[in-house]
Amino acid sequence: MTSQPSLAKADSTPRSPGDPRSGDSGDNGDGLKAGLKNRHLSMIAIGGVIGAGLFVGSSSGIAAAGPAILISYALVGTMVVLVMRMLGEMAAARPASGSFSTYADQALGRWAGFSIGWLYWFFWVVVLAVEATAGAVILNGWIPAVPQWGWALIVMLVLTATNLVSVGSYGEFEFWFAGIKVVAIGGFVIIGLLAVFGVLPGSDNPGEGFAHLTDAGGFMPKGAGAILTGVLMVVFSFMGSEIVTLAAGESEDPQRAVTKATNSVIWRIGVFYLGSILVVITLLPWNDKSITKDGSYVAALNSIGIPHAGQVMNVIVLTAVLSCLNSGLYTASRMAFSLGRRGDAPKAFARTNSRGVPQTAILGSVVFGFVAVWFNYQWKDTVFDFLLNSSGAVALFVWLMISFTQLRMRGIILREEPEKLVVKMWLFPYLTWVTIAMISFVLVYMLTDETGRKQVLLSLLAAAFVVAFSLVREKVRPREAVAGAGVGAAATEQGAGLAGDQAADQTDF
């Protein structure tokens, strides 16, 4: 890693909040605006780790590993905490709309920022189709007169309109969506624990305490290997934790927001993931058929005697789906915006309207999302299956790239802006290398699983194509270097910055 150029050589011009090359939030008609309030960022940070996968996917994990699924969640949760700590270190020092893609560009080279940025964009536009379809299924069950494709179209149009209005409208919607998820999970954990210890009035559950953790074949009824199988089943439900670092560039106080989000990620994962799953497997034996039949949370609520538990859960899952759609569109568009700012996407993606909204980046992302929805209904088992699997391991690629980037960025920040290193990765660089080893192990282990193997191989194929394209493109048309400012006068630095901006604006995709 030592052969990589430092940021000072690649771009020695200091970044300012409105610098289009940095991706930072600006406060004029030519750039992003700081429209997200601190309460928006706080709730985005809290709700970002609660995806629809937690509600609908946990039952299969419990069936695969039994009570030991808690260890699976703890292992993945630890990995996410470490990744978020690394990302928080970089984002607190240099908030940018492109987040880890921008940092990879600066620390590892243009190929890295280009590749991980486009792969991340691809991941989220495919997620748009998945979540739109999931929401359509629930809504169609309530109002069957509107076909599923009609509901998918409606939710996509509504949330597209929300994102087009202003970043503040996205933040407000996400504040309430995330708030509902947080209240629902918090209430579930509190009520569930009361029932577990037999002190919930009117509960139908006998209140066995923690007996169900071992009374059906022990804590590891399917052996220690099932823990790793559980890891594969739960790892992707954690995707989304990093969204707050992308949104920080459009907030009132980016450094404070990122620092707060990074410091609170441990208790968020502990309460929302470990806490809620613990409640499920202490209220019911892990092999209770209702867990796989009705879903883990519905089965737990039914065991307590909560009336209409299924419909209550449908409302919560729909909220989680809409939240994921809302954030997915925001995230994809901001990544496209950042790529456009760096000359790695069409220049139109880097333009904002008078409200500071990257309108073209949003529309470009949602168009691909609409096409993916259409593929889902027309060729679900062929074209859409290929899209789904070729983006399946991108989450792990992103976390791996964040880890390698942080190894370089720590030294760059210390050399250039040491006062901004307010969030530090613990036990650097040892825990960074431990995280890299953990992520690599999960990727290799996925090759032993039939579904995981398909996802890893197709995702590697997609990644290889993007990396190859970026390397060929860079060789054919290298990015124009920013004039070196070095240690010259402030006026010289400002002039170099302007020259760099013009060079970046003239770079075609």
Side-chain angles (χ1 to χ4, degrees), residues 36 69 71 82 88 93 99 186 234-235 239 258 321 337 357 491 497 501:
L36 292 175
I69 193 66
I71 300 179
L82 294 174
S99 187
V234 307
V235 65
M239 192 65 173
V258 169
V321 164
F337 169 84
V357 174
D501 289 349

Side-chain angles (χ1 to χ4, degrees), residues 102-149:
T102 302
Y103 311 138
D105 188 314
Q106 295 170 352
L108 303 179
R110 189 181 188 185
W111 68 271
F114 179 99
S115 302
I116 205 63
W118 277 113
L119 286 171
Y120 192 68
W121 178 88
F122 175 55
F123 172 86
W124 279 110
V125 292
V126 173
V127 165
L128 291 180
V130 174
E131 300 298 338
T133 303
V137 170
I138 296 174
L139 291 166
N140 179 253
W142 293 342
I143 308 177
V146 179
Q148 277 190 26
W149 66 265

Side-chain angles (χ1 to χ4, degrees), residues 323-387:
S323 172
C324 192
L325 261 173
N326 195 36
S327 289
L329 181 53
Y330 171 84
T331 304
S333 65
R334 268 35 178 203
M335 186 58 73
F337 169 84
S338 178
L339 289 165
R341 280 303 215 199
R342 287 177 272 145
D344 290 336
K347 288 189 295 184
F349 282 4
R351 299 192 185 107
T352 57
N353 60 23
S354 59
R355 297 185 301 277
V357 174
Q359 186 170 296
T360 305
I362 291 174
L363 293 176
S365 300
V366 82
V367 163
F368 193 98
F370 277 125
V371 171
V373 170
W374 184 65
F375 285 156
N376 193 21
Y377 285 105
Q378 289 293 114
W379 301 294
K380 180 179 178 62
D381 298 324
T382 53
V383 178
F384 188 73
D385 184 66
F386 173 80
L387 291 177

Side-chain angles (χ1 to χ4, degrees), residues 37-175:
K37 296 178 170 55
N38 286 330
R39 65 181 178 88
H40 293 155
L41 263 293
S42 296
M43 196 56 74
I44 289 170
I46 295 172
V49 295
I50 309 174
L54 174 62
F55 299 106
V56 300
S58 54
S59 56
S60 57
I62 293 172
I69 193 66
L70 284 170
I71 300 179
S72 302
Y73 273 104
L75 287 173
V76 179
T78 300
M79 191 164 66
V80 172
V81 167
L82 294 174
V83 170
M84 280 298 294
R85 187 72 184 184
M86 288 183 273
L87 185 54
E89 175 180 299
M90 297 182 288
R94 299 182 175 186
S97 61
S99 187
F100 49 84
S101 173
T102 302
Y103 311 138
D105 188 314
Q106 295 170 352
L108 303 179
R110 189 181 188 185
W111 68 271
F114 179 99
S115 302
I116 205 63
W118 277 113
L119 286 171
Y120 192 68
W121 178 88
F122 175 55
F123 172 86
W124 279 110
V125 292
V126 173
V127 165
L128 291 180
V130 174
E131 300 298 338
T133 303
V137 170
I138 296 174
L139 291 166
N140 179 253
W142 293 342
I143 308 177
V146 179
Q148 277 190 26
W149 66 265
W151 279 119
L153 180 63
I154 290 170
V155 295
M156 287 279 279
L157 287 174
V158 169
L159 293 177
T160 299
T162 299
N163 276 264
L164 285 172
V165 171
S166 70
V167 67
S169 62
Y170 154 73
E172 200 62 34
F173 268 73
E174 191 57 26
F175 176 81

Side-chain angles (χ1 to χ4, degrees), residues 285-332:
W286 69 271
N287 56 357
D288 191 298
K289 292 182 179 179
S290 65
I291 293 179
T292 52
K293 179 184 176 183
D294 302 325
S296 52
Y297 289 84
V298 173
L301 291 173
N302 282 334
S303 76
I304 297 173
I306 301 294
H308 310 296
Q311 287 304 319
V312 170
M313 211 67 234
N314 275 339
V315 172
I316 296 170
V317 171
L318 179 61
T319 302
V321 164
L322 294 177
S323 172
C324 192
L325 261 173
N326 195 36
S327 289
L329 181 53
Y330 171 84
T331 304

